Amino acid sequence: QSALTQPRSVSGSPGQSVTISCTGTSSDVGGYNYVSWYQQHPGKAPKLMIYDVSKRPSGVPDRFSGSKSGNTASLTISGLQAEDEADYYCCSYAGSYTSRVFGGGTKLTVL
Amino acid sequence: EVQLVQSGAEVKKPGESLKISCKGSGYSFTSYWIGWVRQMPGKGLEWMGIIYPGDSDTRYSPSFQGQVTISADKSISTAYLQWSSLKASDTAMYYCACTYYYDSSGYYRFDYWGQGTLVTVSS
């Protein structure tokens, strides 16, 4: 299966909001409410930020929110902070026990 | 606190075999799925497969089926990822990650991650 499509990079100034999109098909993003988002700082392991499209794990700031419309999921980060600068990956279930697909990743730069 | 501690970096030659490990602590090992994710140098994440240590139910991504073997030893709370014959293209960082088995949607995400094991395959 093909990777989900994410912008290669986005940027914003401290305090601003940014949105990262994740576009798939009706066979993955559009077909299931199992989209998750991961944050990865350089040289570190990924960290779960959003799951089931819009749920936040305990400990993740409410500045992070997720949504979905059709075949596109989105991660919005409001009140940008310097520590939010990282790579972000979306991931979706794709319809079988063994099928998961990640996006190519988006590099967020906090200006 | 759930912790996953992975084995150290490996340098291997093409054709050699390898088994890397991921030890869980701070939780009931048989209450969580454990999976593996590959990250090739400078690239994105790829879901490889997942195992439930309670009964060794194992599922592979079609891209990795037949290329690697995922296993677990619940007596020592450790999961494994192994290769029988490495290729240069297996050079990557490999992460283990886990998710609560009894969460109806836990199967579709990874809540906790190990620190990663760097595998380098070069002649």
Side-chain angles (χ1 to χ4, degrees), chain A residues 34 36 38 40 44-46 48 51-52 89 93 97-98 100 102 104, chain B residues 39 43-45 47 59-61 95 105 107-111 113-114:
Chain A
Y34 295 128
S36 50
Y38 299 87
Q40 187 179 34
K44 300 295 186 182
L48 179 67
Y51 67 97
D52 294 355
Y89 294 91
Y93 177 62
Y97 277 144
T98 60
R100 311 277 185 285
F102 278 97
Chain B
Q39 187 167 36
K43 300 299 184 183
L45 306 174
W47 194 90
R59 303 166 189 190
Y60 295 91
S61 161
Y95 294 100
S105 72
Y107 181 68
Y108 306 102
R109 67 182 188 268
F110 286 127
D111 293 313
W113 293 68

PDB file of all heavy atoms in Angstrom, chain A residues 34 36 38 40 44-46 48 51-52 89 93 97-98 100 102 104, chain B residues 39 43-45 47 59-61 95 105 107-111 113-114:
ATOM      1  N   TYR A  34      -9.217   5.260  12.673  1.00  0.00           N
ATOM      2  CA  TYR A  34      -8.017   4.789  13.376  1.00  0.00           C
ATOM      3  C   TYR A  34      -6.788   5.520  12.835  1.00  0.00           C
ATOM      4  O   TYR A  34      -5.818   4.891  12.409  1.00  0.00           O
ATOM      5  CB  TYR A  34      -7.869   3.278  13.217  1.00  0.00           C
ATOM      6  CG  TYR A  34      -8.971   2.486  13.874  1.00  0.00           C
ATOM      7  CD1 TYR A  34      -9.676   1.517  13.170  1.00  0.00           C
ATOM      8  CD2 TYR A  34      -9.306   2.707  15.210  1.00  0.00           C
ATOM      9  CE1 TYR A  34     -10.681   0.785  13.777  1.00  0.00           C
ATOM     10  CE2 TYR A  34     -10.312   1.979  15.828  1.00  0.00           C
ATOM     11  CZ  TYR A  34     -11.000   1.016  15.104  1.00  0.00           C
ATOM     12  OH  TYR A  34     -11.995   0.292  15.704  1.00  0.00           O
ATOM     13  N   SER A  36      -3.669   7.901  13.754  1.00  0.00           N
ATOM     14  CA  SER A  36      -2.851   8.340  14.876  1.00  0.00           C
ATOM     15  C   SER A  36      -1.740   9.247  14.369  1.00  0.00           C
ATOM     16  O   SER A  36      -1.399   9.228  13.181  1.00  0.00           O
ATOM     17  CB  SER A  36      -2.269   7.144  15.643  1.00  0.00           C
ATOM     18  OG  SER A  36      -1.640   6.232  14.762  1.00  0.00           O
ATOM     19  N   TYR A  38       2.235  10.839  15.401  1.00  0.00           N
ATOM     20  CA  TYR A  38       3.427  10.654  16.221  1.00  0.00           C
ATOM     21  C   TYR A  38       4.381  11.828  16.016  1.00  0.00           C
ATOM     22  O   TYR A  38       4.547  12.320  14.900  1.00  0.00           O
ATOM     23  CB  TYR A  38       4.133   9.350  15.861  1.00  0.00           C
ATOM     24  CG  TYR A  38       3.262   8.132  16.085  1.00  0.00           C
ATOM     25  CD1 TYR A  38       2.399   7.686  15.090  1.00  0.00           C
ATOM     26  CD2 TYR A  38       3.268   7.474  17.310  1.00  0.00           C
ATOM     27  CE1 TYR A  38       1.569   6.588  15.304  1.00  0.00           C
ATOM     28  CE2 TYR A  38       2.446   6.372  17.528  1.00  0.00           C
ATOM     29  CZ  TYR A  38       1.597   5.945  16.523  1.00  0.00           C
ATOM     30  OH  TYR A  38       0.771   4.883  16.755  1.00  0.00           O
ATOM     31  N   GLN A  40       8.329  13.042  16.467  1.00  0.00           N
ATOM     32  CA  GLN A  40       9.675  12.489  16.600  1.00  0.00           C
ATOM     33  C   GLN A  40      10.711  13.610  16.574  1.00  0.00           C
ATOM     34  O   GLN A  40      10.874  14.274  15.552  1.00  0.00           O
ATOM     35  CB  GLN A  40       9.976  11.464  15.504  1.00  0.00           C
ATOM     36  CG  GLN A  40      11.301  10.746  15.700  1.00  0.00           C
ATOM     37  CD  GLN A  40      11.603   9.719  14.640  1.00  0.00           C
ATOM     38  OE1 GLN A  40      11.244   9.873  13.474  1.00  0.00           O
ATOM     39  NE2 GLN A  40      12.282   8.632  15.030  1.00  0.00           N
ATOM     40  N   LYS A  44      15.498  10.679  18.446  1.00  0.00           N
ATOM     41  CA  LYS A  44      14.637  10.120  19.497  1.00  0.00           C
ATOM     42  C   LYS A  44      13.593   9.194  18.911  1.00  0.00           C
ATOM     43  O   LYS A  44      13.329   9.187  17.712  1.00  0.00           O
ATOM     44  CB  LYS A  44      13.935  11.259  20.253  1.00  0.00           C
ATOM     45  CG  LYS A  44      14.881  12.229  20.930  1.00  0.00           C
ATOM     46  CD  LYS A  44      15.662  11.568  22.036  1.00  0.00           C
ATOM     47  CE  LYS A  44      16.495  12.576  22.819  1.00  0.00           C
ATOM     48  NZ  LYS A  44      17.310  11.911  23.871  1.00  0.00           N
ATOM     49  N   ALA A  45      12.986   8.411  19.799  1.00  0.00           N
ATOM     50  CA  ALA A  45      11.899   7.540  19.382  1.00  0.00           C
ATOM     51  C   ALA A  45      10.628   8.365  19.163  1.00  0.00           C
ATOM     52  O   ALA A  45      10.446   9.422  19.775  1.00  0.00           O
ATOM     53  CB  ALA A  45      11.649   6.473  20.448  1.00  0.00           C
ATOM     54  N   PRO A  46       9.747   7.884  18.307  1.00  0.00           N
ATOM     55  CA  PRO A  46       8.456   8.562  18.137  1.00  0.00           C
ATOM     56  C   PRO A  46       7.657   8.564  19.432  1.00  0.00           C
ATOM     57  O   PRO A  46       7.861   7.720  20.311  1.00  0.00           O
ATOM     58  CB  PRO A  46       7.759   7.712  17.065  1.00  0.00           C
ATOM     59  CG  PRO A  46       8.872   7.028  16.335  1.00  0.00           C
ATOM     60  CD  PRO A  46       9.912   6.759  17.381  1.00  0.00           C
ATOM     61  N   LEU A  48       3.490   9.045  20.730  1.00  0.00           N
ATOM     62  CA  LEU A  48       2.083   9.147  20.334  1.00  0.00           C
ATOM     63  C   LEU A  48       1.491  10.462  20.817  1.00  0.00           C
ATOM     64  O   LEU A  48       1.551  10.774  22.004  1.00  0.00           O
ATOM     65  CB  LEU A  48       1.299   7.980  20.926  1.00  0.00           C
ATOM     66  CG  LEU A  48      -0.201   7.940  20.630  1.00  0.00           C
ATOM     67  CD1 LEU A  48      -0.456   7.692  19.146  1.00  0.00           C
ATOM     68  CD2 LEU A  48      -0.893   6.871  21.481  1.00  0.00           C
ATOM     69  N   TYR A  51      -4.621   9.752  18.829  1.00  0.00           N
ATOM     70  CA  TYR A  51      -5.066   8.457  18.324  1.00  0.00           C
ATOM     71  C   TYR A  51      -6.573   8.491  18.076  1.00  0.00           C
ATOM     72  O   TYR A  51      -7.265   9.399  18.545  1.00  0.00           O
ATOM     73  CB  TYR A  51      -4.679   7.329  19.284  1.00  0.00           C
ATOM     74  CG  TYR A  51      -5.393   7.356  20.622  1.00  0.00           C
ATOM     75  CD1 TYR A  51      -6.513   6.566  20.843  1.00  0.00           C
ATOM     76  CD2 TYR A  51      -4.940   8.166  21.666  1.00  0.00           C
ATOM     77  CE1 TYR A  51      -7.168   6.582  22.057  1.00  0.00           C
ATOM     78  CE2 TYR A  51      -5.586   8.183  22.887  1.00  0.00           C
ATOM     79  CZ  TYR A  51      -6.692   7.391  23.085  1.00  0.00           C
ATOM     80  OH  TYR A  51      -7.346   7.412  24.292  1.00  0.00           O
ATOM     81  N   ASP A  52      -7.043   7.507  17.347  1.00  0.00           N
ATOM     82  CA  ASP A  52      -8.474   7.456  16.983  1.00  0.00           C
ATOM     83  C   ASP A  52      -8.938   8.808  16.447  1.00  0.00           C
ATOM     84  O   ASP A  52      -9.986   9.326  16.855  1.00  0.00           O
ATOM     85  CB  ASP A  52      -9.316   7.047  18.175  1.00  0.00           C
ATOM     86  CG  ASP A  52      -9.057   5.617  18.628  1.00  0.00           C
ATOM     87  OD1 ASP A  52      -8.287   4.917  17.949  1.00  0.00           O
ATOM     88  OD2 ASP A  52      -9.615   5.208  19.663  1.00  0.00           O
ATOM     89  N   TYR A  89       4.399  12.331  12.059  1.00  0.00           N
ATOM     90  CA  TYR A  89       3.956  11.266  11.161  1.00  0.00           C
ATOM     91  C   TYR A  89       2.510  10.897  11.469  1.00  0.00           C
ATOM     92  O   TYR A  89       2.149  10.697  12.640  1.00  0.00           O
ATOM     93  CB  TYR A  89       4.805  10.011  11.339  1.00  0.00           C
ATOM     94  CG  TYR A  89       6.248  10.168  10.914  1.00  0.00           C
ATOM     95  CD1 TYR A  89       7.216  10.570  11.825  1.00  0.00           C
ATOM     96  CD2 TYR A  89       6.634   9.903   9.603  1.00  0.00           C
ATOM     97  CE1 TYR A  89       8.543  10.716  11.443  1.00  0.00           C
ATOM     98  CE2 TYR A  89       7.965  10.042   9.207  1.00  0.00           C
ATOM     99  CZ  TYR A  89       8.908  10.445  10.137  1.00  0.00           C
ATOM    100  OH  TYR A  89      10.219  10.584   9.750  1.00  0.00           O
ATOM    101  N   TYR A  93      -4.952   2.797   9.945  1.00  0.00           N
ATOM    102  CA  TYR A  93      -5.329   1.418   9.651  1.00  0.00           C
ATOM    103  C   TYR A  93      -5.778   1.374   8.201  1.00  0.00           C
ATOM    104  O   TYR A  93      -6.359   2.335   7.694  1.00  0.00           O
ATOM    105  CB  TYR A  93      -6.451   0.995  10.582  1.00  0.00           C
ATOM    106  CG  TYR A  93      -7.000  -0.388  10.350  1.00  0.00           C
ATOM    107  CD1 TYR A  93      -6.186  -1.506  10.488  1.00  0.00           C
ATOM    108  CD2 TYR A  93      -8.339  -0.586  10.039  1.00  0.00           C
ATOM    109  CE1 TYR A  93      -6.698  -2.776  10.306  1.00  0.00           C
ATOM    110  CE2 TYR A  93      -8.856  -1.851   9.863  1.00  0.00           C
ATOM    111  CZ  TYR A  93      -8.034  -2.949   9.995  1.00  0.00           C
ATOM    112  OH  TYR A  93      -8.542  -4.201   9.821  1.00  0.00           O
ATOM    113  N   TYR A  97      -5.944  -7.171   8.987  1.00  0.00           N
ATOM    114  CA  TYR A  97      -5.221  -7.354  10.241  1.00  0.00           C
ATOM    115  C   TYR A  97      -3.785  -6.886  10.176  1.00  0.00           C
ATOM    116  O   TYR A  97      -3.192  -6.517  11.171  1.00  0.00           O
ATOM    117  CB  TYR A  97      -5.200  -8.846  10.623  1.00  0.00           C
ATOM    118  CG  TYR A  97      -6.439  -9.292  11.324  1.00  0.00           C
ATOM    119  CD1 TYR A  97      -6.954 -10.556  11.114  1.00  0.00           C
ATOM    120  CD2 TYR A  97      -7.101  -8.462  12.218  1.00  0.00           C
ATOM    121  CE1 TYR A  97      -8.087 -10.977  11.762  1.00  0.00           C
ATOM    122  CE2 TYR A  97      -8.236  -8.874  12.866  1.00  0.00           C
ATOM    123  CZ  TYR A  97      -8.729 -10.141  12.650  1.00  0.00           C
ATOM    124  OH  TYR A  97      -9.856 -10.562  13.283  1.00  0.00           O
ATOM    125  N   THR A  98      -3.234  -6.898   8.971  1.00  0.00           N
ATOM    126  CA  THR A  98      -1.805  -6.630   8.863  1.00  0.00           C
ATOM    127  C   THR A  98      -1.500  -5.321   8.166  1.00  0.00           C
ATOM    128  O   THR A  98      -0.364  -5.060   7.818  1.00  0.00           O
ATOM    129  CB  THR A  98      -1.120  -7.757   8.074  1.00  0.00           C
ATOM    130  OG1 THR A  98      -1.689  -7.817   6.762  1.00  0.00           O
ATOM    131  CG2 THR A  98      -1.297  -9.089   8.762  1.00  0.00           C
ATOM    132  N   ARG A 100      -1.188  -1.425   8.030  1.00  0.00           N
ATOM    133  CA  ARG A 100      -1.079  -0.073   8.572  1.00  0.00           C
ATOM    134  C   ARG A 100      -0.247   0.722   7.589  1.00  0.00           C
ATOM    135  O   ARG A 100       0.670   0.181   6.978  1.00  0.00           O
ATOM    136  CB  ARG A 100      -0.339  -0.039   9.912  1.00  0.00           C
ATOM    137  CG  ARG A 100      -0.787  -0.999  10.933  1.00  0.00           C
ATOM    138  CD  ARG A 100      -1.991  -0.480  11.697  1.00  0.00           C
ATOM    139  NE  ARG A 100      -2.312  -1.398  12.771  1.00  0.00           N
ATOM    140  CZ  ARG A 100      -2.901  -2.570  12.593  1.00  0.00           C
ATOM    141  NH1 ARG A 100      -3.247  -2.950  11.375  1.00  0.00           N
ATOM    142  NH2 ARG A 100      -3.125  -3.363  13.627  1.00  0.00           N
ATOM    143  N   PHE A 102       1.880   4.479   7.138  1.00  0.00           N
ATOM    144  CA  PHE A 102       2.338   5.750   7.690  1.00  0.00           C
ATOM    145  C   PHE A 102       2.409   6.801   6.588  1.00  0.00           C
ATOM    146  O   PHE A 102       2.558   6.483   5.401  1.00  0.00           O
ATOM    147  CB  PHE A 102       3.751   5.606   8.271  1.00  0.00           C
ATOM    148  CG  PHE A 102       3.803   5.023   9.660  1.00  0.00           C
ATOM    149  CD1 PHE A 102       4.042   3.677   9.861  1.00  0.00           C
ATOM    150  CD2 PHE A 102       3.651   5.844  10.773  1.00  0.00           C
ATOM    151  CE1 PHE A 102       4.116   3.145  11.146  1.00  0.00           C
ATOM    152  CE2 PHE A 102       3.731   5.329  12.057  1.00  0.00           C
ATOM    153  CZ  PHE A 102       3.960   3.973  12.246  1.00  0.00           C
ATOM    154  N   GLY A 104       4.582  10.091   4.995  1.00  0.00           N
ATOM    155  CA  GLY A 104       6.007  10.278   4.766  1.00  0.00           C
ATOM    156  C   GLY A 104       6.692  11.178   5.780  1.00  0.00           C
ATOM    157  O   GLY A 104       7.921  11.259   5.810  1.00  0.00           O
TER     158      GLY A 104
ATOM    159  N   GLN B  39      12.769   2.343  10.464  1.00  0.00           N
ATOM    160  CA  GLN B  39      13.046   3.681   9.962  1.00  0.00           C
ATOM    161  C   GLN B  39      14.407   3.656   9.277  1.00  0.00           C
ATOM    162  O   GLN B  39      15.457   3.628   9.931  1.00  0.00           O
ATOM    163  CB  GLN B  39      13.023   4.732  11.070  1.00  0.00           C
ATOM    164  CG  GLN B  39      13.132   6.154  10.535  1.00  0.00           C
ATOM    165  CD  GLN B  39      12.798   7.208  11.565  1.00  0.00           C
ATOM    166  OE1 GLN B  39      13.105   7.081  12.754  1.00  0.00           O
ATOM    167  NE2 GLN B  39      12.135   8.278  11.140  1.00  0.00           N
ATOM    168  N   LYS B  43      14.632   8.487   6.468  1.00  0.00           N
ATOM    169  CA  LYS B  43      13.319   8.187   5.910  1.00  0.00           C
ATOM    170  C   LYS B  43      12.249   8.127   6.998  1.00  0.00           C
ATOM    171  O   LYS B  43      12.521   8.350   8.180  1.00  0.00           O
ATOM    172  CB  LYS B  43      13.378   6.849   5.156  1.00  0.00           C
ATOM    173  CG  LYS B  43      14.376   6.834   4.014  1.00  0.00           C
ATOM    174  CD  LYS B  43      14.061   7.863   2.949  1.00  0.00           C
ATOM    175  CE  LYS B  43      15.011   7.761   1.766  1.00  0.00           C
ATOM    176  NZ  LYS B  43      14.739   8.814   0.750  1.00  0.00           N
ATOM    177  N   GLY B  44      11.040   7.786   6.571  1.00  0.00           N
ATOM    178  CA  GLY B  44       9.909   7.739   7.477  1.00  0.00           C
ATOM    179  C   GLY B  44       9.738   6.390   8.145  1.00  0.00           C
ATOM    180  O   GLY B  44      10.574   5.494   8.037  1.00  0.00           O
ATOM    181  N   LEU B  45       8.627   6.271   8.853  1.00  0.00           N
ATOM    182  CA  LEU B  45       8.330   5.069   9.638  1.00  0.00           C
ATOM    183  C   LEU B  45       7.584   4.038   8.794  1.00  0.00           C
ATOM    184  O   LEU B  45       6.768   4.391   7.942  1.00  0.00           O
ATOM    185  CB  LEU B  45       7.480   5.454  10.848  1.00  0.00           C
ATOM    186  CG  LEU B  45       8.042   6.549  11.753  1.00  0.00           C
ATOM    187  CD1 LEU B  45       7.016   6.929  12.821  1.00  0.00           C
ATOM    188  CD2 LEU B  45       9.347   6.103  12.386  1.00  0.00           C
ATOM    189  N   TRP B  47       5.501   0.240   9.368  1.00  0.00           N
ATOM    190  CA  TRP B  47       4.965  -0.766  10.290  1.00  0.00           C
ATOM    191  C   TRP B  47       5.339  -2.155   9.791  1.00  0.00           C
ATOM    192  O   TRP B  47       5.026  -2.524   8.655  1.00  0.00           O
ATOM    193  CB  TRP B  47       3.451  -0.617  10.334  1.00  0.00           C
ATOM    194  CG  TRP B  47       2.733  -1.316  11.425  1.00  0.00           C
ATOM    195  CD1 TRP B  47       2.443  -0.830  12.660  1.00  0.00           C
ATOM    196  CD2 TRP B  47       2.132  -2.617  11.373  1.00  0.00           C
ATOM    197  NE1 TRP B  47       1.720  -1.748  13.373  1.00  0.00           N
ATOM    198  CE2 TRP B  47       1.516  -2.850  12.607  1.00  0.00           C
ATOM    199  CE3 TRP B  47       2.067  -3.606  10.387  1.00  0.00           C
ATOM    200  CZ2 TRP B  47       0.841  -4.028  12.906  1.00  0.00           C
ATOM    201  CZ3 TRP B  47       1.389  -4.773  10.684  1.00  0.00           C
ATOM    202  CH2 TRP B  47       0.782  -4.986  11.938  1.00  0.00           C
ATOM    203  N   ARG B  59       1.315 -11.108  13.499  1.00  0.00           N
ATOM    204  CA  ARG B  59       0.791 -10.605  12.225  1.00  0.00           C
ATOM    205  C   ARG B  59       1.844  -9.725  11.580  1.00  0.00           C
ATOM    206  O   ARG B  59       2.451  -8.892  12.250  1.00  0.00           O
ATOM    207  CB  ARG B  59      -0.503  -9.841  12.478  1.00  0.00           C
ATOM    208  CG  ARG B  59      -1.533 -10.720  13.178  1.00  0.00           C
ATOM    209  CD  ARG B  59      -2.691  -9.955  13.747  1.00  0.00           C
ATOM    210  NE  ARG B  59      -3.521 -10.832  14.570  1.00  0.00           N
ATOM    211  CZ  ARG B  59      -4.711 -10.485  15.042  1.00  0.00           C
ATOM    212  NH1 ARG B  59      -5.203  -9.281  14.757  1.00  0.00           N
ATOM    213  NH2 ARG B  59      -5.396 -11.316  15.787  1.00  0.00           N
ATOM    214  N   TYR B  60       2.049  -9.898  10.286  1.00  0.00           N
ATOM    215  CA  TYR B  60       3.086  -9.176   9.561  1.00  0.00           C
ATOM    216  C   TYR B  60       2.480  -8.269   8.495  1.00  0.00           C
ATOM    217  O   TYR B  60       1.486  -8.611   7.854  1.00  0.00           O
ATOM    218  CB  TYR B  60       4.034 -10.163   8.859  1.00  0.00           C
ATOM    219  CG  TYR B  60       4.835 -11.042   9.780  1.00  0.00           C
ATOM    220  CD1 TYR B  60       4.359 -12.291  10.171  1.00  0.00           C
ATOM    221  CD2 TYR B  60       6.076 -10.631  10.256  1.00  0.00           C
ATOM    222  CE1 TYR B  60       5.095 -13.104  11.014  1.00  0.00           C
ATOM    223  CE2 TYR B  60       6.826 -11.442  11.093  1.00  0.00           C
ATOM    224  CZ  TYR B  60       6.322 -12.678  11.469  1.00  0.00           C
ATOM    225  OH  TYR B  60       7.066 -13.493  12.306  1.00  0.00           O
ATOM    226  N   SER B  61       3.140  -7.138   8.280  1.00  0.00           N
ATOM    227  CA  SER B  61       2.841  -6.340   7.099  1.00  0.00           C
ATOM    228  C   SER B  61       3.210  -7.165   5.869  1.00  0.00           C
ATOM    229  O   SER B  61       4.231  -7.869   5.886  1.00  0.00           O
ATOM    230  CB  SER B  61       3.651  -5.051   7.124  1.00  0.00           C
ATOM    231  OG  SER B  61       3.714  -4.479   5.834  1.00  0.00           O
ATOM    232  N   TYR B  95      12.504   0.130  15.842  1.00  0.00           N
ATOM    233  CA  TYR B  95      11.856   0.438  17.112  1.00  0.00           C
ATOM    234  C   TYR B  95      10.847  -0.647  17.474  1.00  0.00           C
ATOM    235  O   TYR B  95      10.100  -1.109  16.609  1.00  0.00           O
ATOM    236  CB  TYR B  95      11.087   1.760  17.030  1.00  0.00           C
ATOM    237  CG  TYR B  95      11.932   2.994  16.846  1.00  0.00           C
ATOM    238  CD1 TYR B  95      12.075   3.580  15.605  1.00  0.00           C
ATOM    239  CD2 TYR B  95      12.575   3.589  17.945  1.00  0.00           C
ATOM    240  CE1 TYR B  95      12.845   4.723  15.441  1.00  0.00           C
ATOM    241  CE2 TYR B  95      13.336   4.740  17.790  1.00  0.00           C
ATOM    242  CZ  TYR B  95      13.476   5.288  16.534  1.00  0.00           C
ATOM    243  OH  TYR B  95      14.232   6.426  16.376  1.00  0.00           O
ATOM    244  N   SER B 105      -9.366  -0.211  20.696  1.00  0.00           N
ATOM    245  CA  SER B 105      -8.700   0.446  19.568  1.00  0.00           C
ATOM    246  C   SER B 105      -7.183   0.471  19.738  1.00  0.00           C
ATOM    247  O   SER B 105      -6.473   1.043  18.911  1.00  0.00           O
ATOM    248  CB  SER B 105      -9.229   1.865  19.380  1.00  0.00           C
ATOM    249  OG  SER B 105      -8.774   2.709  20.416  1.00  0.00           O
ATOM    250  N   TYR B 107      -5.067  -1.762  19.290  1.00  0.00           N
ATOM    251  CA  TYR B 107      -4.404  -2.511  18.219  1.00  0.00           C
ATOM    252  C   TYR B 107      -3.976  -1.619  17.068  1.00  0.00           C
ATOM    253  O   TYR B 107      -3.078  -1.960  16.302  1.00  0.00           O
ATOM    254  CB  TYR B 107      -5.370  -3.585  17.728  1.00  0.00           C
ATOM    255  CG  TYR B 107      -4.843  -4.474  16.650  1.00  0.00           C
ATOM    256  CD1 TYR B 107      -3.818  -5.381  16.895  1.00  0.00           C
ATOM    257  CD2 TYR B 107      -5.383  -4.414  15.367  1.00  0.00           C
ATOM    258  CE1 TYR B 107      -3.344  -6.199  15.895  1.00  0.00           C
ATOM    259  CE2 TYR B 107      -4.921  -5.241  14.359  1.00  0.00           C
ATOM    260  CZ  TYR B 107      -3.902  -6.139  14.639  1.00  0.00           C
ATOM    261  OH  TYR B 107      -3.436  -6.953  13.648  1.00  0.00           O
ATOM    262  N   TYR B 108      -4.588  -0.464  16.968  1.00  0.00           N
ATOM    263  CA  TYR B 108      -4.364   0.409  15.812  1.00  0.00           C
ATOM    264  C   TYR B 108      -3.379   1.533  16.070  1.00  0.00           C
ATOM    265  O   TYR B 108      -3.241   2.442  15.252  1.00  0.00           O
ATOM    266  CB  TYR B 108      -5.709   0.987  15.356  1.00  0.00           C
ATOM    267  CG  TYR B 108      -6.721  -0.095  15.096  1.00  0.00           C
ATOM    268  CD1 TYR B 108      -7.723  -0.373  16.021  1.00  0.00           C
ATOM    269  CD2 TYR B 108      -6.659  -0.873  13.948  1.00  0.00           C
ATOM    270  CE1 TYR B 108      -8.633  -1.395  15.806  1.00  0.00           C
ATOM    271  CE2 TYR B 108      -7.570  -1.893  13.720  1.00  0.00           C
ATOM    272  CZ  TYR B 108      -8.552  -2.147  14.656  1.00  0.00           C
ATOM    273  OH  TYR B 108      -9.449  -3.159  14.442  1.00  0.00           O
ATOM    274  N   ARG B 109      -2.668   1.482  17.193  1.00  0.00           N
ATOM    275  CA  ARG B 109      -1.693   2.525  17.498  1.00  0.00           C
ATOM    276  C   ARG B 109      -0.598   1.929  18.375  1.00  0.00           C
ATOM    277  O   ARG B 109      -0.662   0.756  18.758  1.00  0.00           O
ATOM    278  CB  ARG B 109      -2.368   3.665  18.279  1.00  0.00           C
ATOM    279  CG  ARG B 109      -2.835   3.262  19.679  1.00  0.00           C
ATOM    280  CD  ARG B 109      -3.541   4.418  20.375  1.00  0.00           C
ATOM    281  NE  ARG B 109      -3.824   4.106  21.771  1.00  0.00           N
ATOM    282  CZ  ARG B 109      -4.970   3.563  22.203  1.00  0.00           C
ATOM    283  NH1 ARG B 109      -5.925   3.241  21.341  1.00  0.00           N
ATOM    284  NH2 ARG B 109      -5.157   3.337  23.488  1.00  0.00           N
ATOM    285  N   PHE B 110       0.455   2.709  18.626  1.00  0.00           N
ATOM    286  CA  PHE B 110       1.487   2.314  19.571  1.00  0.00           C
ATOM    287  C   PHE B 110       1.605   3.384  20.649  1.00  0.00           C
ATOM    288  O   PHE B 110       1.905   4.540  20.357  1.00  0.00           O
ATOM    289  CB  PHE B 110       2.832   2.129  18.861  1.00  0.00           C
ATOM    290  CG  PHE B 110       2.912   0.877  18.046  1.00  0.00           C
ATOM    291  CD1 PHE B 110       3.291   0.912  16.717  1.00  0.00           C
ATOM    292  CD2 PHE B 110       2.632  -0.357  18.616  1.00  0.00           C
ATOM    293  CE1 PHE B 110       3.386  -0.245  15.966  1.00  0.00           C
ATOM    294  CE2 PHE B 110       2.724  -1.529  17.876  1.00  0.00           C
ATOM    295  CZ  PHE B 110       3.105  -1.468  16.546  1.00  0.00           C
ATOM    296  N   ASP B 111       1.363   2.996  21.894  1.00  0.00           N
ATOM    297  CA  ASP B 111       1.366   3.952  23.005  1.00  0.00           C
ATOM    298  C   ASP B 111       2.761   4.218  23.560  1.00  0.00           C
ATOM    299  O   ASP B 111       3.063   5.337  23.983  1.00  0.00           O
ATOM    300  CB  ASP B 111       0.488   3.434  24.143  1.00  0.00           C
ATOM    301  CG  ASP B 111      -0.981   3.389  23.765  1.00  0.00           C
ATOM    302  OD1 ASP B 111      -1.476   4.384  23.214  1.00  0.00           O
ATOM    303  OD2 ASP B 111      -1.630   2.363  24.023  1.00  0.00           O
ATOM    304  N   TRP B 113       7.111   3.405  23.247  1.00  0.00           N
ATOM    305  CA  TRP B 113       8.156   3.048  22.312  1.00  0.00           C
ATOM    306  C   TRP B 113       9.474   2.766  23.025  1.00  0.00           C
ATOM    307  O   TRP B 113       9.788   3.392  24.054  1.00  0.00           O
ATOM    308  CB  TRP B 113       8.374   4.199  21.319  1.00  0.00           C
ATOM    309  CG  TRP B 113       7.203   4.423  20.419  1.00  0.00           C
ATOM    310  CD1 TRP B 113       5.956   4.889  20.766  1.00  0.00           C
ATOM    311  CD2 TRP B 113       7.157   4.196  19.015  1.00  0.00           C
ATOM    312  NE1 TRP B 113       5.159   4.961  19.662  1.00  0.00           N
ATOM    313  CE2 TRP B 113       5.859   4.546  18.569  1.00  0.00           C
ATOM    314  CE3 TRP B 113       8.090   3.748  18.074  1.00  0.00           C
ATOM    315  CZ2 TRP B 113       5.476   4.439  17.226  1.00  0.00           C
ATOM    316  CZ3 TRP B 113       7.707   3.650  16.749  1.00  0.00           C
ATOM    317  CH2 TRP B 113       6.425   4.001  16.334  1.00  0.00           C
ATOM    318  N   GLY B 114      10.247   1.838  22.451  1.00  0.00           N
ATOM    319  CA  GLY B 114      11.612   1.633  22.888  1.00  0.00           C
ATOM    320  C   GLY B 114      12.518   2.712  22.310  1.00  0.00           C
ATOM    321  O   GLY B 114      12.067   3.546  21.512  1.00  0.00           O
TER     322      GLY B 114
END
